[in-house]
Amino acid sequence: MARIAVIGAGMGALAAAARLAVAGHRVTVYERTETYGGAVRRFERDGFCFDTGPGLLTLPAVWRDLFVKTGKEPLEACVELVQVDPSARHVFADGTGAALPNASRAGVVSALDEALGPGTGERWGDFLVRAREAWDRTRRPLLEEPLWPNWSVLADREPYPSVPHKRLLRTRRAGTLAEVGAWELRDPRLVALLESHALAYGLDPRVTPASAAVLPYMEHAFGMWSVRGGVRELARAVYERCLARRVEFVFGAEVTRIVEKDGRAAGVELAGGTSQAHGSGGGDVAEADFVIAPGTGGAAGPPPHGPGEVAPQRGLPSRLTVLLALRGGRPEGAAHRTVVHTRDREGELRALFGPAPASVARPTLTEPTVTVLRPDDAGLVPDPTHEAVTLSCVVPAGTEPGTDLVEAVLSAAERAVPGLRDRVLWREVRTPADIAQETGVEGGSVPAPALAAAGGRLLHPANSTAVPGLFTVGGWSHPGGGLPHAGMSGALVSGLVVEGPEFRGSQ
């Protein structure tokens, strides 16, 4: 039985802790805040409840697998999952809208043809077929296996089978998501639909590789799910599973240093005393045989990686979230999720990612793409005569959005929810500073999932590090950001600890 110190109680760390405890190890989690879940938090006031992190769940099979592998109670015995239908409603720049059925290619094709005109659905359906091929090519190496030592194979090969396109007397293939949209979808509304999946993760579609086609495919193939009571209930269930497997938690414990002895990780140094620590030099030290730390974006600082490994992602955007307590109940048939697309695509991209010339100052974001969440969940409101609505958009990390941007978010939301402002009882604004406070990530940046191609720019550092006994977990290490990816990260780390470097993922 090994002693394992886990730094942070984010979802990836919790997933690793539960699996390692079941394998017979003594696991202690040190969390600098007073609660678990990382970015998966909850805000409550006057009987209203809101998720302040992710509001929906994709690939629930990742968390079902965790519960199967760590105990007799399945996930559905601990939380209630509800498949959201439609998967999303989209309001495009020209005012047209489309509600896309959940996990139904034929239904999506029909809905797009009806909403946007004949032929649009077929073009999107053909794109999904190609996106599936990219998914099939990358699913194991990007999600189910530790990062390959020869990861440059993933970096240099574009798995998306783009359609040949004649341009400037040459036949070319799309290399970026924006080119896929322009050359293969050929409709600004379909382009907006495609690019919104990358933008939701803070990725610039103009430079994001075509392999990002897997993002809309994941939603299409595996569906979108809500958690009754909010996604925070999933975090609670995973935390309680950890407790049931005798994982120890020490909250309010900030790790200041990873201790090394004889060339390997040997524990963590804490700021202040805890019952698990004893004095050793500058701070208190909790000894361990293995240490599991956040990736480079996490609060404990960058763990050392080996030479030639993937460089950590930097400079990804953050999110602005506006929580609205509304008078008046949720209308029957309202979509759980509506994406209101910007009417100024170029302006939004320049504000978020900067113009091509580096010398030109980045403009202010004035009209963002806004996601509106209207959950049909009686547990989130004080009574049926009220509604809890969450608005969110991508913003540059480290910024403090002003009143003008909040008002722009409300104006965009009113394109989906007419009369919204007249129903507001109160609002709570969550900024990148709040995300930074909860996660410890500078500027409140939010990690993106790992993607192939683009020279490895959207891969994440391996879970193993240059220091024996030290591993990384969570959104800033392989396989990247997002709730399902966090769960996969925990599975990979537990496999590496239990089975050693020969571990190659679940079969």
Side-chain angles (χ1 to χ4, degrees):
M1 178 178 72
R3 298 167 300 173
I4 300 177
V6 179
I7 304 172
M11 294 299 287
L14 294 178
R19 290 175 181 269
L20 288 166
V22 166
H25 298 295
R26 179 182 174 186
V27 183
T28 303
V29 178
Y30 299 94
E31 166 58 46
R32 66 181 184 86
T33 71
E34 298 301 328
T35 190
Y36 54 85
V40 182
R41 302 289 181 100
R42 172 183 287 155
F43 179 84
E44 299 183 35
R45 175 180 163 188
D46 301 338
F48 292 88
C49 297
F50 303 86
D51 284 318
T52 60
L56 288 169
L57 180 65
T58 57
L59 276 176
V62 172
W63 300 100
R64 291 189 179 114
D65 181 72
L66 172 70
F67 277 73
V68 167
K69 300 289 176 55
T70 60
K72 296 180 180 179
E73 268 193 319
L75 175 62
E76 278 79 356
C78 303
V79 297
E80 182 181 353
L81 299 181
V82 180
Q83 195 166 20
V84 174
D85 202 12
S87 172
R89 174 179 170 236
H90 290 264
V91 178
F92 298 106
D94 64 355
T96 56
L100 305 184
N102 202 338
S104 169
R105 180 181 180 276
V108 167
V109 168
S110 176
L112 288 174
D113 275 343
E114 182 178 349
L116 307 184
T120 55
E122 182 180 1
R123 287 200 296 277
W124 184 258
D126 290 344
F127 158 75
L128 287 177
V129 171
R130 295 188 291 275
R132 176 177 181 173
E133 188 170 336
W135 168 260
D136 289 341
R137 291 174 177 176
T138 60
R139 175 181 58 85
R140 277 200 64 82
L142 282 180
L143 301 179
E144 298 175 0
E145 299 178 347
L147 188 66
W148 294 348
N150 60 335
W151 58 266
S152 59
V153 174
L154 294 172
D156 297 335
R157 294 181 183 175
E158 173 54 71
Y160 177 76
S162 56
V163 176
H165 173 77
K166 288 192 177 294
R167 184 175 175 84
L168 299 178
L169 304 180
R170 292 190 303 161
T171 298
R172 301 181 58 184
R173 291 181 180 271
T176 68
L177 206 62
E179 289 174 342
V180 171
W183 300 354
E184 299 179 13
L185 298 178
R186 306 189 309 278
D187 183 300
R189 298 163 298 184
L190 293 182
V191 171
L193 173 58
L194 172 64
E195 293 184 349
S196 66
H197 290 82
L199 191 64
Y201 286 105
L203 298 176
D204 183 350
R206 300 170 299 183
V207 298
T208 297
S211 63
V214 299
L215 300 178
Y217 176 77
M218 286 171 59
E219 178 178 319
H220 159 75
F222 306 108
M224 294 294 292
W225 302 75
S226 67
V227 181
R228 189 70 66 187
V231 174
R232 176 66 177 179
E233 285 298 292
L234 175 64
R236 174 199 55 76
V238 178
Y239 170 68
E240 290 180 354
R241 176 57 54 90
C242 287
L243 292 178
R245 298 300 167 259
R246 301 182 183 275
V247 175
E248 298 180 61
F249 285 84
V250 185
F251 293 105
E254 182 175 3
V255 173
T256 57
R257 183 172 65 94
I258 296 168
V259 177
E260 295 182 34
K261 183 178 180 181
D262 298 328
R264 66 171 288 121
V268 295
E269 184 178 279
L270 304 168
T274 73
S275 59
Q276 283 77 17
H278 62 269
S280 177
D284 292 337
V285 171
E287 296 178 348
D289 302 299
F290 296 93
V291 175
I292 299 173
T296 303
H305 292 276
E309 287 198 12
V310 175
Q313 293 189 25
R314 300 288 189 187
L316 287 174
S318 185
R319 293 194 182 99
L320 170 69
T321 304
V322 183
L323 313 176
L324 299 177
L326 303 184
R327 59 175 65 88
R330 180 181 185 273
E332 185 176 353
H336 187 120
R337 177 176 59 139
T338 300
V339 180
V340 182
H341 296 269
T342 181
R343 291 172 293 199
D344 182 10
R345 172 186 179 271
E346 294 304 318
E348 180 179 41
L349 295 181
R350 283 196 303 270
L352 290 176
F353 308 108
S359 59
V360 179
R362 179 180 292 180
T364 301
L365 180 62
T366 57
E367 187 172 338
T369 295
V370 173
T371 298
V372 182
L373 296 183
R374 308 180 71 182
D376 183 11
D377 190 338
L380 302 180
V381 291
D383 56 61
T385 65
H386 293 86
E387 184 179 8
V389 172
T390 301
L391 316 178
S392 63
C393 69
V394 176
V395 297
T399 61
E400 191 62 30
T403 303
D404 289 348
L405 181 56
V406 174
E407 291 301 319
V409 168
L410 287 167
S411 295
E414 284 195 307
R415 291 166 53 198
V417 188
L420 176 68
R421 277 188 172 87
D422 295 336
R423 297 175 55 199
V424 174
L425 291 170
W426 51 262
R427 71 189 189 195
E428 174 76 13
V429 178
R430 310 274 301 177
T431 70
D434 295 305
I435 297 176
Q437 174 63 31
E438 293 173 353
T439 64
V441 178
E442 183 177 356
S445 288
V446 177
L451 294 173
R457 180 172 47 84
L458 290 176
L459 297 176
H460 290 260
N463 308 106
S464 301
T465 74
V467 178
L470 174 61
F471 299 88
T472 65
V473 74
W476 295 99
S477 59
H478 182 72
L483 270 176
H485 297 74
M488 294 171 189
S489 180
L492 292 174
V493 168
S494 64
L496 288 166
V497 171
V498 172
E499 299 186 27
E502 67 276 8
F503 174 69
R504 290 295 177 264
S506 57
Q507 299 298 322

